Amino acid sequence: MRTVIVEETYGVRIEKVWKALTEKEEMKKWYFDLSEFKPEVGFEFKFTGKGSKGELYVHRCRVTKVIPMTMLQYSWAYENREGLSTVTFDLFEVKKGTLLRVTHTGLDSFPQGHPDFALDSFQKGWNSLLKDGLRKYLANETDLSA
């Protein structure tokens, strides 16, 4: 089973990372431009992302599990494409702030032989989002006592 796991530690409190993961206006600053998002089981949302050659993919997601300040999970599928995967965000308080682990499972259910659905493509995408996007977004949030 093809799975991507990416971990990153941020020098901020869990509350700030949780806010970045669950509030629509904050998500727009580092993730995708969502028209709506609620960290509630059953909530469905979608967003558009670009493929390696500029193709547009509509992502259709449904929140499946929420443990505030600890875990957020949702399904991840593509409009007009076969396959269904699961994305899990786990948060851990660590000495230097917050450890975020993203686990994306079920990637083998997507079309094989297409570069946008290759394991490496998902690995690069999550690394870019967490190591570049979210890290830059949280760069001004360094006060651990807040």
Side-chain angles (χ1 to χ4, degrees):
M1 182 184 237
R2 297 183 318 147
T3 299
V4 167
I5 299 173
V6 178
E7 292 185 349
E8 195 67 20
T9 301
Y10 306 100
V12 298
R13 297 173 59 84
I14 279 180
E15 292 84 359
K16 293 184 183 203
V17 178
W18 182 256
K19 181 178 177 180
L21 295 175
T22 61
E23 293 186 14
K24 177 188 74 163
E25 292 305 316
E26 306 309 310
M27 294 168 80
K28 286 182 178 184
K29 296 173 185 174
W30 72 273
Y31 192 52
F32 291 97
D33 187 3
L34 307 179
S35 61
E36 192 60 55
F37 184 83
K38 294 178 184 175
E40 299 172 358
V41 172
F43 184 80
E44 295 182 1
F45 63 100
K46 65 181 181 177
F47 59 92
T48 303
K50 281 190 179 181
S52 59
K53 295 179 183 173
E55 310 94 323
L56 294 180
Y57 293 105
V58 176
H59 300 65
R60 302 188 70 78
C61 306
R62 182 176 184 268
V63 177
T64 55
K65 191 168 186 178
V66 178
I67 304 172
M69 306 299 162
T70 303
M71 194 252 275
L72 172 67
Q73 182 180 77
Y74 48 79
S75 63
W76 172 296
Y78 296 95
E79 198 166 82
N80 302 318
R81 300 273 181 176
E82 64 181 61
L84 178 65
S85 64
T86 301
V87 176
T88 306
F89 297 85
D90 289 300
L91 292 88
F92 305 92
E93 187 173 335
V94 295
K95 189 174 185 177
K96 295 183 179 182
T98 302
L99 170 68
L100 174 62
R101 177 187 305 130
V102 174
T103 306
H104 197 160
T105 62
L107 300 175
D108 48 348
S109 70
F110 295 127
Q112 302 299 300
H114 191 295
D116 290 340
F117 301 108
L119 186 65
D120 184 58
S121 178
F122 285 100
Q123 187 78 42
K124 286 179 182 175
W126 285 115
N127 272 311
S128 177
L129 283 169
L130 298 187
K131 296 178 188 297
D132 297 329
L134 187 55
R135 177 159 304 289
K136 287 177 185 173
Y137 166 74
L138 293 171
N140 296 326
E141 307 291 331
T142 55
D143 181 10
L144 287 175
S145 62

